[in-house]
Amino acid sequence: MPPEPVVLYVCTTCRAEGDGAEIRAGARLMTALAARLGAAPVPGLRIEPVKCLSVCKRPCTVAVASAGRWTYVYGDLDAESSAATILDGIGLYAGTPDGIVPWRARPEAFRKGVVARIPAFPPRAAPDLPEAAE
Amino acid sequence: MPPEPVVLYVCTTCRAEGDGAEIRAGARLMTALAARLGAAPVPGLRIEPVKCLSVCKRPCTVAVASAGRWTYVYGDLDAESSAATILDGIGLYAGTPDGIVPWRARPEAFRKGVVARIPAFPPRAAPDLPEAAE
């Protein structure tokens, strides 16, 4: 069975703090992610640019969603240096049945940068999870 | 056609700052929302408790999702006083085709408390929206 498709949303309108560059940090991150994914594909992963994920205070921002898996939103990501880390983290996510990567296995940028998580929609059976470290 | 179902996720593990109450703020908000919804039903709306939406720094927290609509996450909500406001805002959301309520029409608590928004998943056609005030 092919892996369940995963969508990585990248906010292309994020501006880095003090960023006066003509191309916004979010757009630069999008370019970096696309280049990296081209060089090292993650099976089933598609990257989609989004105009504003409403996390404007914590640029750069991405979100990841997949049928039957929790959606996660991450911020505080560096436009220039985080593409590899993000794709590593998404690769771990893609390897789980529910989107929940064990806390210690997550990239530090995901542990520190988590903005929110939302249950799979439409809902399947809701597991009774420990609250911490999710 | 009946309205597209809407799910309001309520983080029941949120603790208010300095909150020493035995029943956590998130659980109290859940109770208040359920009571309010019982008294004034919103067609198609279901409330679902969730153990942690990972917005621990901005309690209380809710998220709203619906097929074909953007998902929104809101924080900084008061456990005791915000149930009516939240349900008013969700009612407006439920009345839109895509989940995007015009900025000025949103309750102030939603404008100030927005944590993130995520495109409808699985994706339909992605409208090219203005970035601000979404």
Side-chain angles (χ1 to χ4, degrees):
Chain A
M1 213 170 60
E4 195 71 47
V6 171
V7 180
L8 176 63
Y9 298 104
V10 181
C11 179
T12 57
T13 47
C14 273
R15 286 184 194 276
E17 204 177 317
D19 186 2
E22 193 180 346
I23 298 173
R24 294 187 185 197
R28 301 201 304 275
L29 176 59
M30 176 72 201
T31 301
L33 284 165
R36 181 97 195 171
L37 189 66
V42 176
L45 177 62
R46 192 176 81 244
I47 303 184
E48 204 165 290
V50 178
K51 288 188 176 172
C52 197
L53 291 168
S54 286
V55 195
C56 311
K57 289 175 191 166
R58 298 181 65 182
C60 294
T61 311
V62 303
V64 59
S66 180
R69 293 187 174 110
W70 286 74
T71 292
Y72 279 82
V73 184
Y74 298 106
D76 305 328
L77 299 166
D78 187 85
E80 271 63 52
S81 66
S82 66
T85 302
I86 292 169
L87 291 179
D88 286 349
I90 300 302
L92 295 174
Y93 173 93
T96 66
D98 55 7
I100 300 178
V101 176
W103 181 259
R104 285 166 196 274
R106 296 178 201 180
E108 191 183 4
F110 279 12
R111 291 202 300 263
K112 288 189 174 173
V114 65
V115 170
R117 66 171 197 163
I118 304 104
F121 187 90
R124 293 185 189 170
D128 194 33
L129 294 160
E131 78 193 61
E134 304 299 341
Chain B
M1 213 169 65
E4 195 72 48
V6 171
V7 180
L8 176 64
Y9 297 105
V10 182
C11 179
T12 56
T13 48
C14 273
R15 285 183 194 276
E17 205 179 317
D19 186 1
E22 193 181 347
I23 298 173
R24 294 187 185 196
R28 300 200 306 272
L29 176 59
M30 176 71 200
T31 301
L33 284 165
R36 181 99 195 168
L37 189 65
V42 176
L45 176 62
R46 192 175 80 245
I47 303 183
E48 205 167 288
V50 178
K51 288 188 177 175
C52 198
L53 291 168
S54 285
V55 196
C56 310
K57 288 174 192 166
R58 298 181 65 181
C60 294
T61 311
V62 302
V64 60
S66 181
R69 294 187 173 109
W70 286 73
T71 292
Y72 279 83
V73 184
Y74 298 106
D76 305 327
L77 299 166
D78 186 84
E80 270 62 52
S81 66
S82 65
T85 302
I86 292 169
L87 292 178
D88 285 349
I90 300 304
L92 295 173
Y93 172 93
T96 67
D98 54 8
I100 300 178
V101 176
W103 181 259
R104 285 165 196 272
R106 295 178 202 180
E108 191 182 3
F110 279 12
R111 291 201 301 264
K112 289 189 174 172
V114 66
V115 170
R117 65 171 198 161
I118 305 104
F121 187 90
R124 294 185 187 170
D128 193 33
L129 292 161
E131 75 193 62
E134 305 298 343

